[in-house]
Amino acid sequence: PEYIKCQDIINNYEKNRFYCKHDIFHALDVARIFYIQTLERGIYFKKDIVYAIALLHDIGRAHEYIHSIPHHLASVNISKTILSECDYQLDEIKLITDIISTHRESYEILSINQLFFESDKMSRLCFQCSANPQCKWKQDRKNTIITY
């Protein structure tokens, strides 16, 4: 129920958004890309962990829109509640929330956090987006090719 409530808030705030949206389609795209990236590198993650990270990484945008809390921090707090209610173990919750908390940061070395960061960015189709010329993202952060 908390996930649906937050996603409804995000969808309402982004109904007329010109830039990228943070809907379920974005989350599922990120999950699929992240899963492919881990498989290609021989990194094993249970599929439900991959999907939990992706589905929850932007859920804090609901609190960002209402309370001006940075969404990656709000996502961690909301995720802890949701994951506990879904019977995730403490070590799984820590792994999931650690990746969520850093999903806006790029790393110079390849790590699971970097793979998630890249998956999030790869999910965006900047090369065909009508908002591209006005987008606030720096050019080097935009996805300019088709990947995965």
Side-chain angles (χ1 to χ4, degrees), residues 112-126:
I112 201 64
N113 301 74
Q114 178 64 21
L115 283 180
F116 189 78
F117 170 84
E118 290 174 7
S119 300
D120 191 15
K121 301 308 170 217
M122 282 185 218
S123 74
R124 301 303 188 178
L125 304 177
C126 303

Side-chain angles (χ1 to χ4, degrees), residues 32-44:
R32 293 175 187 125
I33 293 167
F34 184 50
Y35 194 59
I36 291 167
Q37 289 220 83
T38 60
L39 291 175
E40 285 183 347
R41 288 170 175 78
I43 302 168
Y44 176 74

Side-chain angles (χ1 to χ4, degrees), residues 24-104:
I24 189 82
F25 303 108
H26 166 62
L28 291 173
D29 286 344
V30 174
R32 293 175 187 125
I33 293 167
F34 184 50
Y35 194 59
I36 291 167
Q37 289 220 83
T38 60
L39 291 175
E40 285 183 347
R41 288 170 175 78
I43 302 168
Y44 176 74
F45 270 99
K46 293 188 325 187
K47 197 179 293 187
D48 68 295
I49 299 288
V50 168
Y51 276 79
I53 296 164
L55 287 168
L56 296 168
H57 82 282
D58 281 335
I59 202 67
R61 288 202 175 264
H63 290 234
E64 185 172 62
Y65 288 131
I66 295 170
H67 307 292
S68 298
I69 299 169
H71 83 272
H72 63 292
L73 301 178
S75 293
V76 167
N77 292 330
I78 296 166
S79 295
K80 286 178 182 177
T81 301
I82 292 171
L83 293 166
S84 294
E85 290 173 356
C86 293
D87 295 325
Y88 280 84
Q89 302 300 309
L90 288 177
D91 60 327
E92 293 172 322
I93 293 171
K94 181 173 178 5
L95 171 68
I96 292 165
T97 56
D98 282 350
I99 294 171
I100 289 171
S101 71
T102 62
H103 82 271
R104 299 178 68 202

